[in-house]
Every structure is written in structure tokens, then in C-alpha cells.
Amino acid sequence: MTTALVVAAIAFAVVNGVNDGGALLSVGLDVRRLTPVTSLLVLAVCVAIAPLVIGTAVATTLTSRLVTFDGADGTAALLVAVIAAVVVTWVLAGRGLPTSLTLAIVGAIAGAGVGARLPVSWRTVGVVLLLAAAAPIAGLVLAFVFTRLAAAWSSRRTLDRRTQRWHVAAFGLQCVAYGSNDGQKMLAVLAVATGTVVDGRVPAVPWQLAVVATAFLVGATIGLPRVARTLGGGVIAVRPHEAVASELAAAAAVLATGVIGSPVSMTQAVSGGLLGAGGTRGWSRVRWTQVMHLAGAWVVTLPAAFTAAVAATALTVRLT
């Protein structure tokens, strides 16, 4: 069981890379300051380092505050939850949709708890989902404000000249935010698989962070071309300074929730940021069909992962 869970944890990190890596890099591709290879390496390094610096409150939420995974049934339930989240996310990622891994893993964990008849903290689940829903809204509002401020304080020529420098800082902050929140989801699964969770808390073990960062990098390399086309140009076409504003807004929203230990989705925050930044030049420019396509994937993710985990966990527990 332990070996299977370790394999599932590594697969989960790869799927995170496929789903999120291209989506995050695509936002700033037109700025042309950082190469895709450099950007991927910076992102992977932040996945490995951020939990060491910021802490592992998000990972602890996933391993003990949503559902208590005790005993053999708990281990089996977590394995099923990870597999359910991976399958749902992989199917949607295969269609070029950067869906929310937060919704997938939270839904699957809650479903696995129900299927295995383990204690589920529905209050915590509700708070996590509420903050996850707020992330894209916060990204939208903040990006709208940041874009307006940048345009008001700088001439067009000055704005274009400063955008590349701003992109380096904004992308770096976005990578730190991703590592401190989304990156901890990968760490949480591997920590449970290897038995390093202590009193419900997930320690930042360097070798585990190196493993998930490497797996994430592999997935991001695989998924960059397909997912980047969907998020980078599908929702709305943005100018370079608007892309930087959306990066900064998404990073701020995700960092804020990570501090309180609530997992949220960077891809959702980025999507909201793109809408907010691009919307400063008129909401009619938004490709609403694509927005609804992405929103539909988010809506489907949670119940799909929950239902799959309930059924599969109940069957697994019965067979064991």
C-alpha cells in the first residue's frame, strides 16, 4: 500500500505540472524577459524551497484538518482520493483545460472520507471551498486596480520599458505563492505516503520537496504547449503590462490564503487576474465562451472527484 501511495503521490505531482506549469508561464510569454526554460526552473525551485521558508500550513490542512486518515482504512482512502483527483484533472488537462486541482483534491479527500466512514470536518471543507471560490474574484479585482494604477502613473513609453523589469518581480512572486500553496498539496500526499506526518502536521522534508519539484518539472515540460494556448490567449488577449498585473494579483491572492493554511488554486486566481487586467479596456473584449468553458470545468471538477472517491473508497474498504 505504501509503495502504491508513493507512486500516486509522484503521479499527482506530475499532473500538477501538466495542469499548472503551462498555465502559469503562458501569462507572461509575450513579455519576453524570461525564457520558458528559465521560467520553468524558477517555478520548480520555488516548489522545493517555499515550504521550507513559509511553512506547511496548507499541507497540514489537507492531511488532517479535512479528514482524519488514521489506520489502514485511512491510508487506502487517501490513495483513492489521490487517484480520483489525478484522473479527473488528467482528463480535463487532456482537453487543454487548466482546471482547479484544489477543487479536485479537496473534493476527492472529502469523498474518500465519506466512502471510508472517516471523520470529515465539513466546516473546514466549507471554508476551504469558500476561499477557493474567492480566489479568482480577488485576482480579478486586484488586477483591475493594478492595471489602472500602472496606466495612470506611467506614460505608454515608460510603461513598456518598465514592464519587463516588473515581470521578473511579479513572476518571481507568483512562483513563491505557487510553491507556498499549490506546491504543498504535492508535499502533503508524499508526506502521508512516506509516514512523515507527525501529530497531524506535515514537516518540510528536503528530499520530499526535491522529489515533488522534479516530478512537477517533468509534468510542466510536458504540458506547457497545450495548456499555455488555452489560458494565455483563450480567455482574453492582454498587453504585456496587463499580464504582469495579473501575475501580481494572482500571487497576492494566493499568498494571503496560504498564510492562513487554506489551499486555493493559482490557475483560478490567474484566470481572474487576466479578466481583471484585460477588462480595463472593455468587458466586451472578454471571450465569454471560453470563460464559461473554463468555469464549467471548475464546476464539474468538485462533484466528479467527490463522487468518484466515494464510490471507489467504499469499494476498496469493502474488499480489504
Side-chain angles (χ1 to χ4, degrees):
M1 182 66 73
T2 299
T3 301
L5 192 52
V6 169
V7 172
I10 294 174
F12 182 61
V14 172
V15 172
N16 269 267
V18 172
N19 189 70
D20 295 349
L24 298 182
L25 266 64
S26 69
V27 178
L29 287 179
D30 290 337
V31 180
R32 301 179 185 278
R33 179 71 174 185
L34 298 172
T35 66
V37 173
T38 300
S39 298
L40 280 177
L41 290 175
V42 170
L43 183 55
V45 168
C46 286
V47 168
I49 293 179
L52 290 170
V53 178
I54 297 176
T56 59
V58 172
T60 298
T61 295
L62 292 172
T63 57
S64 62
R65 294 174 185 161
L66 298 177
V67 177
T68 303
F69 291 107
D70 290 333
D73 286 350
T75 302
L78 182 60
L79 174 60
V80 172
V82 172
I83 293 174
V86 166
V87 170
V88 169
T89 305
W90 188 269
V91 169
L92 292 174
R95 297 175 178 271
L97 295 174
T99 189
S100 170
L101 272 166
T102 297
L103 294 177
I105 193 63
V106 171
I109 286 176
V114 172
R117 298 182 178 180
L118 298 172
V120 180
S121 176
W122 293 110
R123 180 178 180 179
T124 304
V125 171
V127 171
V128 167
L129 293 179
L130 181 62
L131 291 174
I137 298 174
L140 186 154
V141 173
L142 289 173
F144 186 91
V145 173
F146 292 160
T147 304
R148 287 289 197 191
L149 290 175
W153 290 347
S154 305
S155 65
R156 181 61 184 274
R157 179 177 297 180
T158 304
L159 190 62
D160 291 341
R161 186 171 62 252
R162 292 177 176 175
T163 293
Q164 290 190 347
R165 294 197 300 270
W166 289 347
H167 169 56
V168 174
F171 179 74
L173 187 61
Q174 182 179 255
C175 290
V176 172
Y178 184 85
S180 67
N181 200 305
D182 292 75
Q184 291 191 42
K185 300 166 193 171
M186 298 175 269
L187 173 63
V189 178
L190 186 57
V192 173
T194 55
T196 57
V197 179
V198 180
D199 296 329
R201 296 185 178 276
V202 177
V205 180
W207 74 263
Q208 293 178 351
L209 291 168
V211 169
V212 297
T214 301
F216 174 85
L217 181 60
V218 171
T221 303
I222 296 171
L224 177 60
R226 180 175 59 250
V227 181
R229 288 193 295 269
T230 301
L231 188 56
V235 174
I236 187 172
V238 295
R239 293 171 177 171
H241 74 279
E242 294 168 347
V244 172
S246 67
E247 289 176 329
L248 183 59
V254 172
L255 275 174
T257 56
V259 169
I260 61 176
S262 182
V264 299
S265 171
M266 177 64 82
T267 55
Q268 285 185 301
V270 167
S271 297
L274 288 171
L275 289 177
T280 57
R281 291 184 287 124
W283 298 108
S284 61
R285 299 177 53 255
V286 176
R287 298 173 181 135
W288 291 108
T289 300
Q290 185 62 29
V291 171
M292 296 306 295
H293 197 40
L294 289 173
W298 296 344
V299 171
V300 167
T301 299
L302 178 64
F306 179 85
T307 303
V310 169
T313 305
L315 179 61
T316 301
V317 170
R318 187 175 299 132
L319 291 176
T320 56

